[in-house]
Amino acid sequence: MTPHRLGYLYGLTAYLLWGFFPLYFKLLRPTGPVEILAHRVIWSVAFVALLLVAMRNLGFLRALLRRPRTLAGIGGAATLIAVNWFTYIYGVNSDRVVETALGYFINPLVVVLLGVLVLRERLRPAQWAALGVGGLAVVVLTVDYGRLPYLALTLAFTFGAYSLVKKRLGLPAAEGLFVESAVLALPALVFLGWLSFTGDATFGQVSAGHTVLLVLAGALTAIPLLLFAGAANRLPLTALGMLQYVAPILQLGCGVLIFHEPMPPARVAGFALVWLALIVFTADGLRQARRSRRSRPVVTPPPAVSTAG
């Protein structure tokens, strides 16, 4: 299999797994969102630590401890991803899967907005148009819900900010996830210990299958991220940009077709505006990528050197 096809396989598998996460988190009831988050953190640390030991790649920790600014950035990234994970778990288990899907649909637009606000990037007219249509969609959905779609906005902004911090840190996927989870591990352990002390913990109390599902939270957190990293190393950014819509489409399908969440006409109109904004945004990105390829100078490769003896 060529590296390009392998990249598509990795990327598609990662987004398929993320797309069906609502089905998994529903199975964790009656565990509450904070307890699920704590188990997700603890078992992520354990799973990735075993992976790094198998890869003999724990030496990076010594160098990392000598970089306090990087450690501070990791602390910020850990906080953002914890808020993102909690919001998503809470949304799924409070029967608002459709709203969580909306968050990941608008995430690309939020990333562009953060680029303007934080990195002072300049946008092309089509990107401004996409942001305008996205803003109109939020207004329509606010009218439909009778409130701001705060779960969707929280998911979009926390993951957008997390992506920005991660880009600046430049840590590999496994190492980054390990350190971020390790930062959150102590408060997670304290919370789980408190639940056990008060008798409110569900771990080991519901069924053997439920306990196994909580333990699997670590692997199910790490595996899609590692697959995504493998795809990112093999595919152009435009290809990854197209694949990223697979997960929220599946999540929306889970919410409407499996969990039978309502989709009144006004909500459909709001989602349609979001999709229009994404079409404009994606088409502009593809057009810009083609222009960049055409403007690159053609480099003639050097003649092959024979190594035959």
Side-chain angles (χ1 to χ4, degrees):
M1 184 178 292
T2 65
H4 199 71
R5 288 185 178 180
L6 192 59
Y8 273 110
L9 178 62
Y10 285 161
L12 187 58
T13 305
Y15 282 113
L16 285 172
L17 289 171
W18 281 324
F20 288 113
F21 262 20
L23 302 178
Y24 167 71
F25 286 120
K26 289 279 190 181
L27 294 174
L28 298 183
R29 289 172 169 178
T31 305
V34 182
E35 187 179 356
I36 293 173
L37 174 63
H39 279 288
R40 192 174 183 183
V41 167
I42 296 303
W43 299 114
S44 291
V45 173
F47 178 81
V48 181
L50 289 174
L51 187 64
L52 292 173
V53 168
M55 295 166 58
R56 299 181 180 179
N57 198 22
L58 282 172
F60 78 97
L61 286 172
R62 287 192 296 272
L64 194 60
L65 291 173
R66 295 193 291 268
R67 296 160 60 189
R69 291 184 65 180
T70 301
L71 288 174
I74 290 171
T79 302
L80 288 166
I81 201 60
V83 173
N84 183 273
W85 286 354
F86 169 80
T87 304
Y88 186 78
I89 296 165
Y90 171 78
V92 169
N93 284 347
S94 59
D95 300 321
R96 290 154 74 179
V97 175
V98 169
E99 190 174 345
T100 63
L102 173 64
Y104 290 108
F105 273 123
I106 65 176
N107 176 250
L109 303 175
V110 168
V111 170
V112 172
L113 181 61
L114 289 174
V116 174
L117 298 177
V118 179
L119 303 179
R120 305 297 180 188
E121 294 179 352
R122 300 181 66 178
L123 299 186
R124 297 182 293 275
Q127 291 175 310
W128 279 116
L131 284 178
V133 175
L136 179 60
V138 171
V139 172
V140 171
L141 289 165
T142 298
V143 173
D144 171 61
Y145 282 113
R147 56 170 174 77
L148 272 174
Y150 62 88
L151 284 183
L153 293 174
T154 302
L155 287 171
F157 275 95
T158 53
F159 197 74
Y162 172 75
S163 302
L164 184 64
V165 173
K166 290 281 284 184
K167 182 178 180 181
R168 290 185 166 182
L169 291 174
L171 290 174
E175 288 84 342
L177 179 61
F178 174 76
V179 180
E180 289 159 18
S181 300
V183 168
L184 300 169
L186 181 58
L189 282 171
V190 170
F191 178 76
L192 292 176
W194 178 77
L195 281 183
S196 296
F197 177 76
T198 59
D200 294 325
T202 62
F203 185 75
Q205 304 299 317
V206 178
S207 67
H210 180 270
T211 301
V212 170
L213 286 173
L214 281 174
V215 172
L216 286 176
L220 290 173
T221 296
I223 289 171
L225 185 67
L226 298 174
L227 288 168
F228 175 79
N233 290 335
R234 293 169 174 84
L235 294 177
L237 194 59
T238 50
L240 279 177
M242 297 298 291
L243 284 175
Q244 72 179 327
Y245 302 127
V246 170
I249 288 171
L250 291 173
Q251 290 164 7
L252 178 62
C254 287
V256 175
L257 301 176
I258 298 177
F259 304 128
H260 307 293
E261 294 185 14
M263 278 293 284
R267 196 165 303 171
V268 173
F271 269 84
L273 285 171
V274 171
W275 295 327
L276 175 61
L278 291 174
I279 289 169
V280 172
F281 175 74
T282 304
D284 177 72
L286 292 172
R287 185 168 56 250
Q288 188 65 25
R290 282 196 298 268
R291 286 177 181 172
S292 298
R293 285 196 297 268
R294 288 171 186 163
S295 62
R296 287 180 194 155
V298 177
V299 179
T300 304
V305 179
S306 174
T307 57

